[in-house]
């Protein structure tokens, strides 16, 4: 899978892809992530990509020309399955959307900034708008990194234990059950006996019960 991230801060977004699971997925060739500096597509001498909004009002707006030039250039090289814009007014990101996006071949993520993008970009190019939560970030880069992380770890082969991604919270619509590792007794805080029993059928049953119990308590909305 290929993710092309259009940003005015390529240096800000690179780091999450240089560590751990994402790094491994990329070095195995299972995911390719490119950072495209939007300023490279600005034709004015200051390399600016924003301007005042028509009609007045506070806040700058990202101009259509550099974005259009950038997206047209990318589209001339390959076909894209989705062109995503990160924005607080998009659909709320969740595991289902991550699952869906992880099956695609090529996507673009355009990182928003300032007051937003010229509406005509949305009309002409954007196929999907995604918000990572009901709060406003100073730019779309962190949102793009979060979306990419959630997608890449789902690509088969990225996580070495194939079943691990499937047992994540949300993957089956429930939160994950509690997990423990050694020591079995930490100053009197004991690991539940069942997990030490070796009876895998009973352990699976216990985990399913705990997942349901935790979801009921913390996120009853997921059970509706
Ligand atoms: N840009 C600013 N805030 C955002 C949010 N909550 N989600 C996605 N992109 C954003």
């Amino acid at each position: 899978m290929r993710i092309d991230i259009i940003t005015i801060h390529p240096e800000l977004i690179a780091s999450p892809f240089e560590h751990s699971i994402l790094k491994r997925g990329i070095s195995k060739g299972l995911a390719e992530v490119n950072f495209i500096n939007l300023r490279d597509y600005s034709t004015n001498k200051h390399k600016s990509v924003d301007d005042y909004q028509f009609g007045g009002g506070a806040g700058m707006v990202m101009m259509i020309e550099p974005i259009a030039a950038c997206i047209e250039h990318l589209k001339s090289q390959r076909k894209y399955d989705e062109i995503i814009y990160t924005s607080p007014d998009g659909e709320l990101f969740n595991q289902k959307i991550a699952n869906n996006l992880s099956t695609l071949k090529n996507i673009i993520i355009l990182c928003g900034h300032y007051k937003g993008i010229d509406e005509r970009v949305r009309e002409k190019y954007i196929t999907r708008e995604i918000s990572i939560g009901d709060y406003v970030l100073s730019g779309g880069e962190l949102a793009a990194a979060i979306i990419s992380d959630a997608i890449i770890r789902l690509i088969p082969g990225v996580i070495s234990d194939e079943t691990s991604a499937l047992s994540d919270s949300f993957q089956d619509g429930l939160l994950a059950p509690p997990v423990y590792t050694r020591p079995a007794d930490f100053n009197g805080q004991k690991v539940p006996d069942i997990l030490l029993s070796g009876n895998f059928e009973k352990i699976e049953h216990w985990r399913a019960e705990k997942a349901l119990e935790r979801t009921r308590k913390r996120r009853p909305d997921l059970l509706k």
Side-chain angles (χ1 to χ4, degrees):
M1 171 182 209
R2 176 185 175 115
I3 305 177
D4 289 336
I5 300 177
I6 303 174
T7 168
I8 58 169
H9 293 301
E11 69 293 347
L12 170 72
I13 196 182
S15 167
F17 301 93
E18 293 166 358
H19 306 274
S20 183
I21 291 172
L22 300 193
K23 179 185 177 184
R24 196 169 62 223
I26 291 165
S27 59
K28 278 185 177 172
L30 298 168
E32 178 183 344
V33 182
N34 302 291
F35 310 108
I36 297 118
N37 192 338
L38 185 60
R39 290 191 199 282
D40 292 344
Y41 292 86
S42 169
T43 49
N44 77 41
K45 66 173 190 276
H46 303 294
K47 294 280 170 211
S48 64
V49 293
D50 61 320
D51 208 337
Y52 296 100
Q53 48 177 316
F54 279 126
M60 306 291 275
V61 174
M62 290 174 81
M63 299 157 76
I64 190 168
E65 286 138 320
I67 298 173
C70 181
I71 292 178
E72 291 293 351
H73 176 67
L74 291 171
K75 281 173 68 171
S76 72
Q77 294 174 343
R78 67 195 64 77
K79 199 178 157 330
Y80 286 93
D81 303 303
E82 293 278 14
I83 302 180
I84 297 164
Y85 172 53
T86 57
S87 157
D89 35 0
E91 60 182 319
L92 211 49
F93 192 54
N94 59 26
Q95 193 64 36
K96 194 169 158 212
I97 299 174
N99 288 345
N100 169 262
L101 295 177
S102 75
T103 65
L104 304 181
K105 193 156 175 272
N106 300 314
I107 64 171
I108 290 174
I109 305 180
L110 170 65
C111 302
H113 263 275
Y114 316 113
K115 199 82 190 159
I117 48 173
D118 189 306
E119 189 66 20
R120 292 167 292 184
V121 174
R122 291 171 134 148
E123 290 163 8
K124 189 166 164 72
Y125 295 109
I126 302 301
T127 60
R128 197 153 191 179
E129 303 194 12
I130 296 179
S131 164
I132 60 158
D134 291 339
Y135 41 80
V136 180
L137 302 167
S138 47
E141 280 74 14
L142 297 179
I146 285 169
I147 294 164
S148 303
D149 182 315
I151 297 171
I152 292 171
R153 62 192 299 286
L154 290 170
I155 298 171
V158 170
I159 293 182
S160 26
D161 178 357
E162 295 263 337
T163 59
S164 173
L166 293 175
S167 59
D168 288 337
S169 276
F170 298 111
Q171 200 52 269
D172 54 3
L174 298 176
L175 300 184
V179 291
Y180 301 85
T181 185
R182 285 184 293 183
D185 183 338
F186 177 70
N187 300 335
Q189 270 187 290
K190 293 204 174 81
V191 170
D193 286 337
I194 182 92
L195 296 178
L196 310 174
S197 70
N199 185 330
F200 294 108
E201 207 173 302
K202 278 196 171 154
I203 291 173
E204 275 317 296
H205 185 71
W206 179 88
R207 285 184 172 146
E209 262 185 0
K210 289 290 170 190
L212 193 59
E213 187 184 307
R214 181 162 278 188
T215 308
R216 208 178 274 131
K217 208 173 194 175
R218 298 185 182 187
R219 292 292 307 275
D221 57 298
L222 294 176
L223 297 172
K224 279 182 197 135

